[in-house]
Coordinates of all heavy atoms in Angstrom, one line a residue:
M1430 N 111.8 86.4 69.6 CA 110.7 87.4 69.4 C 110.0 87.4 70.8 O 109.6 86.5 71.4 CB 109.9 86.9 68.3 CG 108.7 87.9 68.2 SD 107.5 87.4 66.8 CE 108.3 88.3 65.5
P1431 N 109.8 88.7 71.2 CA 109.1 88.8 72.6 C 107.6 88.4 72.4 O 107.1 88.5 71.4 CB 109.2 90.3 72.9 CG 110.1 90.9 71.9 CD 110.3 89.9 70.7
I1432 N 107.0 88.1 73.5 CA 105.6 87.8 73.6 C 104.8 89.1 73.4 O 105.2 90.2 74.0 CB 105.2 87.1 74.8 CG1 105.8 85.8 75.0 CG2 103.7 87.1 75.0 CD1 105.7 85.0 76.4
Y1433 N 103.8 89.1 72.6 CA 102.9 90.3 72.5 C 102.1 90.4 73.8 O 101.3 89.6 74.2 CB 101.9 90.0 71.3 CG 101.1 91.3 71.0 CD1 101.7 92.4 70.6 CD2 99.7 91.2 71.2 CE1 100.8 93.5 70.3 CE2 99.0 92.3 71.0 CZ 99.5 93.5 70.5 OH 98.8 94.7 70.4
E1434 N 102.3 91.5 74.4 CA 102.0 91.8 75.8 C 100.5 91.7 76.0 O 99.9 91.5 77.1 CB 102.6 93.0 76.4 CG 102.2 94.4 75.8 CD 103.0 94.8 74.6 OE1 103.6 93.9 74.0 OE2 103.1 96.0 74.3
H1435 N 99.7 92.2 74.9 CA 98.2 92.2 75.2 C 97.5 90.9 75.2 O 96.3 90.8 75.4 CB 97.6 93.3 74.2 CG 98.0 94.6 74.4 ND1 98.5 95.3 73.3 CD2 98.1 95.3 75.5 CE1 98.8 96.5 73.8 NE2 98.6 96.6 75.1
A1436 N 98.2 89.9 74.9 CA 97.6 88.5 74.8 C 98.2 87.5 75.8 O 97.9 86.4 75.7 CB 98.0 87.9 73.4
V1437 N 98.7 88.0 76.9 CA 99.2 87.1 77.9 C 98.3 87.1 79.1 O 98.0 88.2 79.8 CB 100.7 87.6 78.4 CG1 101.1 86.6 79.4 CG2 101.5 87.8 77.2
S1438 N 97.8 86.0 79.5 CA 96.9 85.7 80.6 C 97.8 85.7 81.9 O 98.9 85.2 82.0 CB 96.2 84.4 80.5 OG 95.7 84.0 81.7
P1439 N 97.3 86.3 83.0 CA 98.0 86.2 84.2 C 98.2 84.7 84.6 O 99.1 84.4 85.3 CB 97.1 86.9 85.2 CG 96.4 88.0 84.4 CD 96.1 87.2 83.1
L1440 N 97.3 83.8 84.2 CA 97.6 82.4 84.5 C 98.8 81.8 83.9 O 99.5 81.0 84.4 CB 96.3 81.6 84.1 CG 95.0 82.0 84.9 CD1 93.9 81.2 84.4 CD2 95.2 81.7 86.4
I1441 N 99.1 82.3 82.7 CA 100.3 82.0 81.9 C 101.5 82.6 82.7 O 102.6 82.0 82.8 CB 100.3 82.3 80.5 CG1 99.1 81.6 79.8 CG2 101.7 82.1 79.8 CD1 99.2 80.1 79.8
M1442 N 101.3 83.9 83.1 CA 102.4 84.6 83.7 C 102.8 83.8 85.0 O 104.0 83.8 85.4 CB 101.9 86.0 84.1 CG 101.7 86.9 82.9 SD 101.1 88.5 83.5 CE 100.9 89.4 82.0
E1443 N 101.8 83.4 85.7 CA 102.1 82.5 86.9 C 103.0 81.4 86.6 O 104.0 81.0 87.4 CB 100.8 82.0 87.6 CG 100.0 83.0 88.2 CD 98.8 82.4 88.8 OE1 98.2 81.4 88.4 OE2 98.4 83.0 90.0
K1444 N 102.8 80.7 85.6 CA 103.6 79.6 85.1 C 105.1 79.9 84.9 O 106.0 79.3 85.2 CB 103.0 78.8 84.1 CG 101.7 78.0 84.4 CD 101.1 77.3 83.3 CE 99.9 76.7 83.8 NZ 99.2 75.9 82.8
V1445 N 105.2 81.1 84.1 CA 106.5 81.6 83.7 C 107.3 82.1 84.9 O 108.4 81.7 85.1 CB 106.5 82.7 82.6 CG1 107.7 83.4 82.4 CG2 105.8 82.1 81.4
L1446 N 106.6 82.8 85.8 CA 107.2 83.3 87.1 C 107.3 82.4 88.2 O 108.0 82.6 89.2 CB 106.4 84.5 87.5 CG 106.5 85.7 86.6 CD1 105.5 86.8 87.0 CD2 107.9 86.3 86.4
D1447 N 106.6 81.2 88.2 CA 106.5 80.2 89.2 C 106.0 81.0 90.5 O 106.6 80.9 91.5 CB 107.9 79.5 89.5 CG 107.7 78.4 90.3 OD1 106.5 77.7 90.3 OD2 108.7 78.0 91.1
A1448 N 104.9 81.7 90.3 CA 104.3 82.4 91.5 C 102.8 82.5 91.3 O 102.2 82.4 90.1 CB 104.8 83.9 91.3
D1449 N 102.1 82.3 92.4 CA 100.7 82.4 92.4 C 100.2 83.8 92.7 O 100.5 84.4 93.9 CB 100.1 81.5 93.5 CG 100.3 80.0 93.1 OD1 100.3 79.7 91.9 OD2 100.6 79.3 94.1
F1450 N 99.6 84.6 91.8 CA 99.2 85.9 92.0 C 97.9 86.3 91.2 O 97.3 87.4 91.5 CB 100.3 86.8 91.7 CG 100.6 87.1 90.2 CD1 100.0 88.1 89.4 CD2 101.5 86.1 89.6 CE1 100.3 88.1 88.1 CE2 101.9 86.2 88.2 CZ 101.2 87.3 87.5
A1451 N 97.5 85.6 90.3 CA 96.4 86.0 89.4 C 95.2 86.4 90.2 O 94.5 87.4 89.8 CB 96.1 84.9 88.4
E1452 N 94.8 85.7 91.2 CA 93.5 86.0 91.9 C 93.7 87.2 92.9 O 92.8 87.7 93.3 CB 93.1 84.7 92.8 CG 92.6 83.6 91.9 CD 91.3 84.0 91.2 OE1 90.4 84.6 91.6 OE2 91.3 83.7 90.0
M1453 N 94.9 87.6 93.1 CA 95.1 88.8 93.8 C 94.5 90.1 93.2 O 94.1 91.0 94.0 CB 96.6 89.1 94.1 CG 97.3 88.2 94.9 SD 99.0 88.6 95.0 CE 99.5 87.6 96.4
I1454 N 94.1 90.1 92.1 CA 93.4 91.2 91.4 C 92.1 91.5 92.0 O 91.5 92.5 92.0 CB 93.3 91.1 89.9 CG1 93.0 92.3 89.1 CG2 92.4 89.9 89.4 CD1 94.0 93.5 89.2
N1455 N 91.6 90.4 92.5 CA 90.1 90.5 93.2 C 90.3 90.9 94.7 O 89.2 90.8 95.4 CB 89.4 89.1 93.0 CG 89.3 88.8 91.6 OD1 88.8 89.6 90.8 ND2 89.6 87.6 91.2
G1456 N 91.5 91.1 95.1 CA 91.6 91.4 96.7 C 91.5 92.9 97.0 O 91.0 93.7 96.2
D1457 N 92.1 93.1 98.2 CA 92.1 94.6 98.7 C 93.2 95.3 97.9 O 93.8 94.7 97.1 CB 92.2 94.6 100.2 CG 93.5 94.0 100.7 OD1 94.5 93.8 99.9 OD2 93.6 93.8 101.9
S1458 N 93.4 96.5 98.2 CA 94.4 97.4 97.6 C 95.8 96.8 97.7 O 96.6 96.9 96.8 CB 94.4 98.9 98.1 OG 94.6 98.9 99.4
A1459 N 96.1 96.2 98.9 CA 97.5 95.6 99.0 C 97.6 94.4 98.0 O 98.7 94.3 97.5 CB 97.8 95.2 100.5
D1460 N 96.6 93.6 98.0 CA 96.6 92.4 97.0 C 96.8 93.0 95.6 O 97.5 92.4 94.8 CB 95.3 91.7 97.2 CG 95.3 90.9 98.4 OD1 96.4 90.5 99.0 OD2 94.2 90.5 98.8
I1461 N 96.0 94.0 95.2 CA 96.0 94.5 93.9 C 97.5 95.1 93.5 O 98.1 94.8 92.5 CB 95.0 95.6 93.7 CG1 93.7 94.9 93.7 CG2 95.2 96.3 92.3 CD1 92.4 95.8 93.7
D1462 N 98.1 95.7 94.6 CA 99.5 96.2 94.3 C 100.4 95.0 94.1 O 101.2 95.1 93.3 CB 99.9 97.1 95.6 CG 101.2 97.8 95.3 OD1 101.3 98.5 94.3 OD2 102.1 97.7 96.1
E1463 N 100.3 94.0 95.0 CA 101.1 92.8 94.7 C 100.8 92.2 93.4 O 101.8 91.6 92.8 CB 100.8 91.8 95.9 CG 101.8 90.6 95.9 CD 103.3 91.0 96.1 OE1 103.6 92.1 96.8 OE2 104.1 90.3 95.7
F1464 N 99.6 92.1 92.9 CA 99.3 91.6 91.6 C 100.1 92.3 90.5 O 100.8 91.7 89.8 CB 97.8 91.7 91.3 CG 97.5 91.4 89.9 CD1 97.1 90.1 89.5 CD2 97.4 92.4 88.9 CE1 96.9 89.8 88.2 CE2 97.1 92.1 87.6 CZ 96.9 90.8 87.2
F1465 N 100.0 93.7 90.7 CA 100.7 94.5 89.6 C 102.3 94.3 89.7 O 103.0 94.5 88.6 CB 100.2 96.0 89.5 CG 98.9 96.0 88.9 CD1 97.7 96.2 89.4 CD2 98.8 95.8 87.4 CE1 96.5 96.3 88.8 CE2 97.7 95.8 86.7 CZ 96.6 96.2 87.4
K1466 N 102.7 94.2 90.8 CA 104.2 93.9 90.9 C 104.6 92.6 90.2 O 105.6 92.7 89.5 CB 104.6 93.7 92.5 CG 104.7 95.1 93.2 CD 105.1 94.8 94.7 CE 105.0 96.1 95.5 NZ 105.2 95.8 96.9
N1467 N 103.9 91.6 90.4 CA 104.1 90.3 89.6 C 103.8 90.5 88.2 O 104.6 90.0 87.4 CB 103.2 89.2 90.2 CG 103.8 88.7 91.6 OD1 104.7 87.9 91.6 ND2 103.2 89.1 92.6
Y1468 N 102.7 91.1 87.8 CA 102.3 91.3 86.5 C 103.4 92.1 85.8 O 103.8 91.7 84.6 CB 101.0 92.2 86.4 CG 100.4 92.3 85.1 CD1 99.6 91.5 84.5 CD2 100.7 93.5 84.3 CE1 98.9 91.7 83.4 CE2 100.1 93.8 83.1 CZ 99.2 92.8 82.7 OH 98.6 93.0 81.4
C1469 N 104.0 93.2 86.3 CA 105.0 93.9 85.6 C 106.4 93.2 85.7 O 107.1 93.3 84.7 CB 105.2 95.3 86.3 SG 103.8 96.4 86.0
S1470 N 106.6 92.4 86.7 CA 107.8 91.7 86.7 C 107.9 90.5 85.5 O 109.0 90.2 85.0 CB 108.1 90.9 88.0 OG 107.2 89.8 88.2
F1471 N 106.7 90.1 85.2 CA 106.7 89.2 84.0 C 107.2 89.9 82.7 O 108.0 89.3 82.0 CB 105.2 88.7 83.7 CG 105.1 88.0 82.5 CD1 105.4 86.7 82.3 CD2 104.6 88.6 81.3 CE1 105.3 86.0 81.1 CE2 104.6 88.0 80.1 CZ 104.8 86.7 80.0
F1472 N 106.7 91.1 82.5 CA 107.1 91.8 81.3 C 108.6 92.2 81.4 O 109.3 92.2 80.4 CB 106.3 93.1 81.0 CG 104.8 92.7 80.7 CD1 103.8 93.0 81.5 CD2 104.6 92.1 79.5 CE1 102.5 92.7 81.2 CE2 103.3 91.6 79.2 CZ 102.2 91.9 80.0
K1473 N 109.1 92.5 82.5 CA 110.5 92.8 82.7 C 111.3 91.6 82.4 O 112.3 91.6 81.7 CB 110.8 93.3 84.0 CG 112.1 94.0 84.2 CD 112.2 94.8 85.6 CE 113.3 95.8 85.5 NZ 113.3 96.8 86.4
K1474 N 110.9 90.4 82.8 CA 111.5 89.2 82.5 C 111.5 88.9 81.0 O 112.5 88.3 80.5 CB 110.8 87.9 83.2 CG 111.5 86.7 83.2 CD 111.1 85.6 84.1 CE 111.8 84.3 83.9 NZ 111.5 83.4 84.9
M1475 N 110.5 89.3 80.4 CA 110.4 89.1 78.8 C 111.1 90.3 78.1 O 110.9 90.3 77.0 CB 108.9 89.0 78.5 CG 108.1 87.9 79.0 SD 108.7 86.3 78.4 CE 109.4 85.7 79.9
T1476 N 111.9 91.0 78.9 CA 112.7 92.1 78.4 C 112.0 93.4 78.0 O 112.5 94.3 77.4 CB 113.6 91.7 77.1 OG1 112.8 91.5 76.0 CG2 114.4 90.5 77.5
Y1477 N 110.7 93.6 78.5 CA 110.2 94.9 78.5 C 110.5 95.6 79.6 O 110.5 95.2 80.8 CB 108.6 94.7 78.4 CG 108.1 94.1 77.1 CD1 108.0 92.8 76.9 CD2 107.7 95.0 76.1 CE1 107.4 92.3 75.7 CE2 107.3 94.6 74.9 CZ 107.1 93.1 74.7 OH 106.7 92.6 73.5
D1478 N 110.7 97.0 79.6 CA 111.0 97.8 80.6 C 109.7 98.3 81.3 O 109.0 99.1 80.8 CB 111.9 99.1 80.1 CG 112.2 100.0 81.3 OD1 112.2 99.5 82.5 OD2 112.6 101.1 81.0
T1479 N 109.4 97.8 82.5 CA 108.1 98.1 83.2 C 108.4 98.5 84.6 O 109.4 98.1 85.2 CB 107.1 96.9 83.1 OG1 107.7 95.8 83.8 CG2 106.8 96.6 81.7
D1480 N 107.6 99.2 85.2 CA 107.6 99.6 86.6 C 106.1 99.7 87.1 O 105.4 100.6 86.6 CB 108.3 100.9 86.7 CG 108.4 101.4 88.1 OD1 107.9 100.8 89.0 OD2 109.1 102.4 88.3
H1481 N 105.8 98.9 88.0 CA 104.3 98.9 88.5 C 104.0 100.2 89.1 O 102.7 100.6 89.0 CB 104.0 97.7 89.4 CG 104.3 98.0 90.8 ND1 105.6 98.2 91.4 CD2 103.5 98.3 91.8 CE1 105.5 98.4 92.6 NE2 104.2 98.4 93.0
A1482 N 104.9 101.0 89.6 CA 104.5 102.3 90.2 C 104.0 103.3 89.2 O 103.2 104.1 89.6 CB 105.7 102.8 90.9
R1483 N 104.5 103.2 88.0 CA 103.9 104.0 86.9 C 102.5 103.9 86.7 O 101.8 104.8 86.2 CB 104.7 103.8 85.6 CG 106.2 104.3 85.7 CD 106.8 104.0 84.3 NE 108.2 103.9 84.6 CZ 109.0 103.4 83.7 NH1 108.6 103.0 82.4 NH2 110.3 103.3 83.9
L1484 N 101.9 102.7 87.0 CA 100.5 102.5 86.7 C 99.6 103.3 87.6 O 98.5 103.5 87.3 CB 100.1 101.0 87.0 CG 100.8 100.0 86.1 CD1 100.6 98.6 86.7 CD2 100.4 100.1 84.7
F1485 N 100.1 103.8 88.6 CA 99.3 104.6 89.6 C 99.7 106.2 89.7 O 99.2 106.8 90.5 CB 99.5 104.0 91.0 CG 99.2 102.5 91.0 CD1 100.2 101.5 91.1 CD2 97.9 102.2 91.1 CE1 99.8 100.2 91.1 CE2 97.6 100.8 91.0 CZ 98.5 99.9 91.1
L1486 N 100.4 106.5 88.6 CA 100.7 108.0 88.6 C 99.6 108.8 87.8 O 98.9 108.4 87.0 CB 102.1 108.2 87.9 CG 103.2 107.7 88.7 CD1 104.5 107.9 87.9 CD2 103.4 108.2 90.1

């Protein structure tokens, strides 16, 4: 059963992805873009079809 996406902390995502990115949400626009690349890659890894570029359309 997939993880319910609204209940996943970026800190947990970091552990699953083995990547440090949670604090990037507090950075500049390049950091925020990198945050969402990682954020969306988590859901893709969990078998959700995601694309971070769609967040900015």
Side-chain angles (χ1 to χ4, degrees):
M1430 173 179 274
I1432 293 176
Y1433 183 66
E1434 67 269 28
H1435 295 129
V1437 183
S1438 163
L1440 298 173
I1441 300 299
M1442 292 176 180
E1443 285 184 329
K1444 291 180 182 184
V1445 171
L1446 296 173
D1447 193 29
D1449 294 326
F1450 69 93
E1452 288 300 317
M1453 289 180 168
I1454 195 67
N1455 299 315
D1457 62 15
S1458 61
D1460 289 335
I1461 293 168
D1462 189 53
E1463 188 64 25
F1464 171 87
F1465 280 108
K1466 285 179 187 176
N1467 284 280
Y1468 186 89
C1469 290
S1470 73
F1471 169 82
F1472 293 112
K1473 196 163 199 167
K1474 184 172 184 172
M1475 296 294 111
T1476 69
Y1477 288 89
D1478 183 20
T1479 62
D1480 180 353
H1481 88 283
R1483 292 183 203 163
L1484 296 171
F1485 303 104
L1486 296 177

